[in-house]
Amino acid sequence: MNEIAQELLKRADVIGAWLSGAVTKTADFATAQAIDIAMQYVAFGRAWYTTATILSIFGVVFSIWMGKKLFEHIKNDDISGLILLVPLIFAAPVSVITFFNSVKDCIMVWAAPKVWLMIQLAELAKQVK
């Protein structure tokens, strides 16, 4: 064991006391700021789920547009339109799945932010267990 590690072991009780004091101060600060933290988390949730929902709607519209273009090429017996099939195969399912995963939370965070926050806290508690 090197000298630094030995010195740390000698001072482990001092370091432990310092860390517990820092943790206590952090917990006290978080408790005092709980309402502000909750409001900021709800604002973050609104921004996150609104962005995810809007981007997924754009993806669905883009997929529909690509599908129409693909069918126009097929209708005209133009094989070059098959290149549109590659992004369509990827974009359509990803956009639809993202929409259905985010729209519920988007509505919840805007219509019932307290309920959404409680659900988030319950999920966090499950992860910590």
Side-chain angles (χ1 to χ4, degrees):
M1 197 181 297
N2 64 21
E3 294 175 24
I4 296 173
Q6 289 175 351
E7 191 64 30
L8 282 174
L9 283 175
K10 289 178 188 175
R11 298 181 184 208
D13 57 338
V14 175
I15 293 169
W18 176 78
L19 284 175
S20 68
V23 168
T24 303
K25 289 177 187 174
T26 303
D28 291 343
F29 175 76
T31 303
Q33 299 294 319
I35 294 172
D36 189 43
I37 292 169
M39 289 172 56
Q40 289 180 9
Y41 190 68
V42 168
F44 165 76
R46 286 178 174 172
W48 181 264
Y49 287 112
T50 301
T51 301
T53 302
I54 290 171
L55 288 177
S56 65
I57 290 170
F58 282 144
V60 169
V61 169
F62 179 68
S63 298
I64 291 170
W65 177 79
M66 279 195 309
K68 286 183 178 182
K69 289 292 184 187
L70 177 65
F71 285 122
E72 286 175 10
H73 284 280
I74 291 172
K75 185 175 150 183
N76 295 332
D77 292 329
D78 184 8
I79 198 164
S80 67
L82 291 178
I83 195 74
L84 292 172
L85 191 60
V86 175
L88 182 62
I89 288 172
F90 175 74
V94 169
S95 298
V96 170
I97 290 169
T98 304
F99 176 76
F100 284 117
N101 283 336
S102 63
V103 73
K104 176 190 161 262
D105 285 319
C106 183
I107 293 169
M108 178 81 72
V109 77
W110 283 100
K114 291 178 185 177
V115 175
W116 177 82
L117 186 60
M118 294 304 289
I119 291 170
Q120 294 297 312
L121 289 173
E123 288 177 9
L124 179 63
K126 285 180 190 175
Q127 291 176 0
V128 172
K129 266 187 170 178

